[in-house]
Amino acid sequence: MEFFIEGARSRTGKTLNPKFGLLSIVSDAVFDKKIPNATILPITINYEKVLEADTYPYELLGEEKVKESLIRVIKALKILSTNFGRIHVGFGKMISVKEWSKNQGLDSYENMRDRKKAVETLGYEVAFRLIEEMVVMPTGIVSSLLLMNRRGITEDQLIKRFEWVLK
């Protein structure tokens, strides 16, 4: 089963707080002994191309975000043939739901408060492990440098600062 712990894809690259709905369903299946255990494998995918590069600036200027729809998804299939630049896929350390709860000193099988706490701390642990695997892509560095120099920066200055950041 695959799900996104943040509930949605962050379009800015900023890590969002975890959502606990699906994680709670999976954890409850373990704690209610419907399944013996569940293992979570945090995976992060980072790529150079910013998919929203055409629309996001307009949203920052106050225009409304275009709503997602099935038709837009179907039309966007051509994006899959686009060059995304370099792509980095990172795999975090796997987490056993059963062991996680036990190592936290929680009685998630009998105590509902402990169960809720186990799910919340597990959600933040998954998010933390995703952050550990993230790679800062060159587009993110250049974007940050441009935002730090809103009054303007020459190409030579930008290159020097970019090279300094990489050191």
Side-chain angles (χ1 to χ4, degrees), residues 33-163:
K33 299 181 180 174
K34 292 179 181 172
I35 59 174
N37 196 6
T39 303
I40 297 170
L41 176 60
I43 300 173
T44 180
I45 303 172
N46 303 279
Y47 44 89
E48 289 179 324
K49 181 178 172 101
V50 179
L51 294 177
E52 291 84 5
D54 296 336
T55 59
Y56 192 59
Y58 296 107
E59 291 173 35
L60 292 175
L61 293 171
E63 288 190 23
E64 231 177 272
K65 180 182 181 284
V66 178
K67 300 270 189 220
E68 297 294 332
S69 69
L70 181 59
I71 293 170
R72 283 185 46 84
V73 171
I74 292 169
K75 287 180 180 177
L77 287 175
K78 66 180 180 180
I79 291 174
L80 296 176
S81 63
T82 304
N83 182 352
F84 288 90
R86 285 182 282 169
I87 296 175
H88 175 80
V89 179
F91 297 89
K93 186 178 175 192
M94 289 193 292
I95 306 169
S96 158
V97 172
K98 188 176 185 178
E99 291 299 315
W100 174 262
S101 177
K102 188 170 119 183
N103 291 341
Q104 299 299 306
L106 300 171
D107 180 18
S108 303
Y109 290 89
E110 301 295 329
N111 185 318
M112 292 309 279
R113 281 189 181 156
D114 280 2
R115 183 180 291 200
K116 183 177 181 204
K117 184 172 183 167
V119 170
E120 288 177 1
T121 58
L122 179 58
Y124 282 103
E125 181 64 23
V126 170
F128 177 75
R129 291 186 187 192
L130 287 170
I131 292 168
E132 284 185 318
E133 295 301 320
M134 288 178 92
V135 173
V136 179
M137 302 305 268
T139 49
I141 296 171
V142 171
S143 298
S144 295
L145 290 170
L146 290 172
L147 286 171
M148 290 170 47
N149 296 280
R150 290 180 185 246
R151 295 179 188 223
I153 185 170
T154 67
E155 184 178 349
D156 288 338
Q157 290 172 321
L158 182 63
I159 291 169
K160 284 180 186 174
R161 290 187 184 167
F162 183 84
E163 290 172 344

